[in-house]
Amino acid sequence: MIVELRRQFDLAWALTDLHLSALADEDHLWEPGPLVWTVHQGPSGRWWPDWADTEPDPIPVPTIGWLTWHMIFWWTSALAHVDGRPPPPRSEIDWPGPAAAVQRIRVLSARWSGLLDSLTDTDLLGPATFPWGPDSGRSLADMVLWLNVELTKNATEIGQLRMLRAATRSRG
């Protein structure tokens, strides 16, 4: 099964990298409408995401900056869980800025890729608590599958926002 999961990840990463490579710095903070989740630079210069513990209704449209922060957040958390470390609290995971966010995602991807290279089919049967919680009964294979889907979803959202921004600019 690891071979198939690896192939799926490689495809999801290729789509993600295609969109990340095409981003301009100004794409990250573009707001496609009046209700968005984005990232904000604090007085210290660090960037922090909008967040609500309960998803609002209507759901805000995330900016590319927020989406790249979200990727950093869940990938950092997933890797910590697999490494047997407690993940840093969400409130401690900042957004490093446009170019640095793309670079951080590439580093996380390389770490995840290395992890996949080290796993066996037997390893995939082991328990995983992220992102479901300690009593989920889920396996590491479930986590890898979830991560592949989450990566594809975020890449698609980034690509769609990038294309919408380009189409909006071309109209005038």
Side-chain angles (χ1 to χ4, degrees):
M1 180 170 190
I2 191 65
V3 171
E4 292 82 3
L5 291 173
R6 177 60 198 220
R7 264 188 267 170
Q8 185 187 48
F9 170 74
D10 289 343
L11 178 60
W13 177 248
L15 174 64
T16 304
D17 197 45
L18 172 81
H19 291 305
L20 292 176
S21 296
L23 291 174
D25 285 355
E26 57 273 8
D27 291 336
H28 290 262
L29 298 179
W30 177 69
E31 296 184 2
L35 181 62
V36 298
W37 270 354
T38 191
V39 289
H40 306 274
Q41 195 168 28
S44 69
R46 292 182 76 182
W47 291 84
W48 299 103
D50 290 326
W51 185 264
D53 289 326
T54 303
E55 197 165 86
D57 183 19
I59 299 169
V61 177
T63 63
I64 291 172
W66 192 92
L67 288 165
T68 56
W69 167 81
H70 189 243
M71 292 171 74
I72 292 166
F73 163 66
W74 58 252
W75 226 333
T76 299
S77 299
L79 283 162
H81 279 280
V82 173
D83 291 343
R85 296 178 289 109
R90 176 198 43 79
S91 60
E92 292 179 17
I93 300 176
D94 65 343
W95 185 69
V102 170
Q103 183 55 35
R104 191 179 294 177
I105 291 167
R106 287 189 170 122
V107 167
L108 291 166
S109 172
R111 285 187 57 210
W112 188 258
S113 181
L115 169 73
L116 292 178
D117 288 343
S118 73
L119 294 176
T120 66
D121 284 351
T122 302
D123 294 329
L124 294 172
L125 301 175
T129 59
F130 182 78
W132 308 281
D135 300 321
S136 68
R138 301 288 184 112
S139 68
L140 184 55
D142 289 315
M143 181 196 281
V144 173
L145 288 163
W146 169 83
L147 191 137
N148 288 346
V149 169
E150 188 71 16
L151 181 62
T152 303
K153 178 190 78 73
N154 287 151
T156 303
E157 291 171 325
I158 288 168
Q160 186 68 38
L161 286 168
R162 186 176 62 80
M163 290 183 291
L164 281 171
R165 182 167 189 265
T168 302
R169 282 191 317 239
S170 70
R171 282 191 295 180

Short mmCIF file of all heavy atoms in Angstrom, two decimals, residues 72-93 129-131 143:
data_model
loop_
_atom_site.label_atom_id
_atom_site.label_comp_id
_atom_site.label_asym_id
_atom_site.label_seq_id
_atom_site.Cartn_x
_atom_site.Cartn_y
_atom_site.Cartn_z
N ILE A 72 1.04 24.91 6.50
CA ILE A 72 2.16 24.85 7.46
C ILE A 72 1.67 24.29 8.79
O ILE A 72 2.32 23.44 9.40
CB ILE A 72 2.79 26.24 7.62
CG1 ILE A 72 3.50 26.66 6.33
CG2 ILE A 72 3.75 26.29 8.82
CD1 ILE A 72 3.86 28.13 6.24
N PHE A 73 0.50 24.74 9.23
CA PHE A 73 -0.07 24.28 10.49
C PHE A 73 -0.32 22.78 10.49
O PHE A 73 0.15 22.05 11.36
CB PHE A 73 -1.36 25.06 10.78
CG PHE A 73 -2.23 24.42 11.82
CD1 PHE A 73 -1.82 24.33 13.14
CD2 PHE A 73 -3.48 23.91 11.48
CE1 PHE A 73 -2.63 23.74 14.10
CE2 PHE A 73 -4.29 23.32 12.44
CZ PHE A 73 -3.87 23.24 13.74
N TRP A 74 -1.10 22.27 9.51
CA TRP A 74 -1.45 20.85 9.58
C TRP A 74 -0.27 19.95 9.26
O TRP A 74 -0.15 18.86 9.81
CB TRP A 74 -2.69 20.49 8.77
CG TRP A 74 -2.73 20.78 7.31
CD1 TRP A 74 -3.48 21.74 6.69
CD2 TRP A 74 -2.06 20.09 6.24
NE1 TRP A 74 -3.29 21.70 5.32
CE2 TRP A 74 -2.41 20.69 5.02
CE3 TRP A 74 -1.16 19.02 6.20
CZ2 TRP A 74 -1.94 20.27 3.79
CZ3 TRP A 74 -0.68 18.60 4.96
CH2 TRP A 74 -1.07 19.23 3.79
N TRP A 75 0.64 20.39 8.39
CA TRP A 75 1.80 19.54 8.09
C TRP A 75 2.76 19.48 9.27
O TRP A 75 3.30 18.43 9.60
CB TRP A 75 2.51 20.04 6.84
CG TRP A 75 2.85 18.95 5.88
CD1 TRP A 75 3.06 17.62 6.17
CD2 TRP A 75 3.03 19.08 4.48
NE1 TRP A 75 3.35 16.93 5.02
CE2 TRP A 75 3.34 17.81 3.97
CE3 TRP A 75 2.98 20.15 3.61
CZ2 TRP A 75 3.60 17.58 2.63
CZ3 TRP A 75 3.22 19.92 2.28
CH2 TRP A 75 3.53 18.65 1.80
N THR A 76 2.96 20.63 9.94
CA THR A 76 3.80 20.65 11.13
C THR A 76 3.21 19.73 12.20
O THR A 76 3.93 18.96 12.85
CB THR A 76 3.92 22.09 11.68
OG1 THR A 76 4.54 22.91 10.67
CG2 THR A 76 4.74 22.16 12.95
N SER A 77 1.90 19.79 12.37
CA SER A 77 1.22 18.96 13.37
C SER A 77 1.31 17.49 13.01
O SER A 77 1.58 16.65 13.87
CB SER A 77 -0.24 19.40 13.50
OG SER A 77 -0.31 20.73 13.94
N ALA A 78 1.07 17.15 11.76
CA ALA A 78 1.14 15.74 11.33
C ALA A 78 2.53 15.17 11.54
O ALA A 78 2.69 14.05 12.05
CB ALA A 78 0.72 15.62 9.87
N LEU A 79 3.56 15.92 11.15
CA LEU A 79 4.93 15.43 11.32
C LEU A 79 5.28 15.26 12.80
O LEU A 79 5.95 14.29 13.17
CB LEU A 79 5.92 16.37 10.63
CG LEU A 79 5.97 16.24 9.11
CD1 LEU A 79 6.61 17.46 8.47
CD2 LEU A 79 6.71 14.96 8.72
N ALA A 80 4.83 16.18 13.64
CA ALA A 80 5.09 16.04 15.08
C ALA A 80 4.45 14.77 15.62
O ALA A 80 5.09 14.01 16.37
CB ALA A 80 4.56 17.27 15.83
N HIS A 81 3.22 14.50 15.22
CA HIS A 81 2.54 13.29 15.67
C HIS A 81 3.29 12.04 15.23
O HIS A 81 3.51 11.12 16.02
CB HIS A 81 1.10 13.24 15.15
CG HIS A 81 0.15 14.05 15.96
ND1 HIS A 81 -0.39 13.61 17.15
CD2 HIS A 81 -0.35 15.30 15.77
CE1 HIS A 81 -1.18 14.53 17.65
NE2 HIS A 81 -1.17 15.58 16.83
N VAL A 82 3.70 12.00 13.98
CA VAL A 82 4.41 10.82 13.48
C VAL A 82 5.76 10.65 14.19
O VAL A 82 6.19 9.54 14.46
CB VAL A 82 4.60 10.90 11.94
CG1 VAL A 82 5.48 9.77 11.43
CG2 VAL A 82 3.24 10.84 11.25
N ASP A 83 6.40 11.78 14.52
CA ASP A 83 7.68 11.74 15.23
C ASP A 83 7.52 11.45 16.71
O ASP A 83 8.51 11.35 17.44
CB ASP A 83 8.43 13.07 15.07
CG ASP A 83 8.92 13.31 13.65
OD1 ASP A 83 9.00 12.34 12.87
OD2 ASP A 83 9.23 14.48 13.33
N GLY A 84 6.27 11.35 17.19
CA GLY A 84 6.04 11.08 18.60
C GLY A 84 6.23 12.30 19.49
O GLY A 84 6.43 12.17 20.69
N ARG A 85 6.18 13.49 18.91
CA ARG A 85 6.33 14.74 19.67
C ARG A 85 4.97 15.44 19.76
O ARG A 85 4.16 15.30 18.85
CB ARG A 85 7.30 15.70 18.97
CG ARG A 85 8.71 15.20 18.85
CD ARG A 85 9.62 16.19 18.09
NE ARG A 85 9.29 16.24 16.66
CZ ARG A 85 8.70 17.27 16.05
NH1 ARG A 85 8.37 18.35 16.70
NH2 ARG A 85 8.45 17.22 14.75
N PRO A 86 4.76 16.20 20.81
CA PRO A 86 3.53 17.00 20.82
C PRO A 86 3.64 18.11 19.78
O PRO A 86 4.69 18.75 19.69
CB PRO A 86 3.46 17.56 22.25
CG PRO A 86 4.83 17.41 22.81
CD PRO A 86 5.54 16.34 22.03
N PRO A 87 2.60 18.33 19.02
CA PRO A 87 2.66 19.42 18.04
C PRO A 87 2.61 20.76 18.76
O PRO A 87 2.04 20.87 19.84
CB PRO A 87 1.42 19.20 17.18
CG PRO A 87 0.48 18.45 18.05
CD PRO A 87 1.33 17.61 18.97
N PRO A 88 3.22 21.78 18.16
CA PRO A 88 3.11 23.10 18.78
C PRO A 88 1.65 23.56 18.74
O PRO A 88 0.92 23.20 17.81
CB PRO A 88 3.99 24.00 17.90
CG PRO A 88 4.17 23.26 16.63
CD PRO A 88 3.97 21.80 16.92
N PRO A 89 1.22 24.32 19.73
CA PRO A 89 -0.14 24.84 19.67
C PRO A 89 -0.34 25.68 18.41
O PRO A 89 0.58 26.35 17.95
CB PRO A 89 -0.25 25.72 20.93
CG PRO A 89 0.85 25.25 21.82
CD PRO A 89 1.94 24.74 20.92
N ARG A 90 -1.56 25.62 17.88
CA ARG A 90 -1.88 26.39 16.67
C ARG A 90 -1.50 27.85 16.84
O ARG A 90 -0.99 28.48 15.92
CB ARG A 90 -3.38 26.26 16.36
CG ARG A 90 -3.82 27.10 15.18
CD ARG A 90 -5.32 27.32 15.13
NE ARG A 90 -5.96 27.64 16.37
CZ ARG A 90 -5.95 28.85 16.95
NH1 ARG A 90 -5.33 29.85 16.38
NH2 ARG A 90 -6.59 29.05 18.09
N SER A 91 -1.70 28.38 18.03
CA SER A 91 -1.43 29.79 18.28
C SER A 91 0.06 30.14 18.21
O SER A 91 0.42 31.31 18.20
CB SER A 91 -2.00 30.21 19.64
OG SER A 91 -1.39 29.43 20.66
N GLU A 92 0.92 29.13 18.16
CA GLU A 92 2.37 29.38 18.06
C GLU A 92 2.91 29.19 16.65
O GLU A 92 4.10 29.38 16.40
CB GLU A 92 3.12 28.47 19.04
CG GLU A 92 2.87 28.83 20.49
CD GLU A 92 3.60 27.93 21.45
OE1 GLU A 92 4.56 27.23 21.04
OE2 GLU A 92 3.22 27.92 22.64
N ILE A 93 2.04 28.80 15.73
CA ILE A 93 2.48 28.59 14.36
C ILE A 93 2.09 29.83 13.55
O ILE A 93 0.92 30.04 13.23
CB ILE A 93 1.86 27.31 13.76
CG1 ILE A 93 2.29 26.09 14.59
CG2 ILE A 93 2.26 27.15 12.30
CD1 ILE A 93 1.66 24.78 14.16
N THR A 129 -3.43 9.51 15.73
CA THR A 129 -4.46 10.30 16.41
C THR A 129 -4.76 11.60 15.68
O THR A 129 -5.78 12.22 15.93
CB THR A 129 -4.02 10.65 17.85
OG1 THR A 129 -2.79 11.38 17.78
CG2 THR A 129 -3.82 9.39 18.67
N PHE A 130 -3.89 12.00 14.79
CA PHE A 130 -4.07 13.28 14.10
C PHE A 130 -4.70 13.05 12.74
O PHE A 130 -4.28 12.15 12.03
CB PHE A 130 -2.72 13.99 13.92
CG PHE A 130 -2.84 15.33 13.26
CD1 PHE A 130 -3.26 16.43 13.98
CD2 PHE A 130 -2.56 15.50 11.92
CE1 PHE A 130 -3.39 17.68 13.38
CE2 PHE A 130 -2.68 16.72 11.30
CZ PHE A 130 -3.09 17.82 12.05
N PRO A 131 -5.70 13.79 12.38
CA PRO A 131 -6.32 14.94 13.04
C PRO A 131 -7.58 14.61 13.83
O PRO A 131 -8.33 15.51 14.20
CB PRO A 131 -6.65 15.84 11.85
CG PRO A 131 -7.02 14.89 10.76
CD PRO A 131 -6.13 13.69 10.97
N MET A 143 -3.99 8.59 8.18
CA MET A 143 -3.39 9.91 8.24
C MET A 143 -2.74 10.27 6.91
O MET A 143 -2.89 11.39 6.42
CB MET A 143 -2.35 10.02 9.35
CG MET A 143 -1.73 11.43 9.42
SD MET A 143 -0.21 11.56 10.36
CE MET A 143 -0.83 11.58 12.01
#
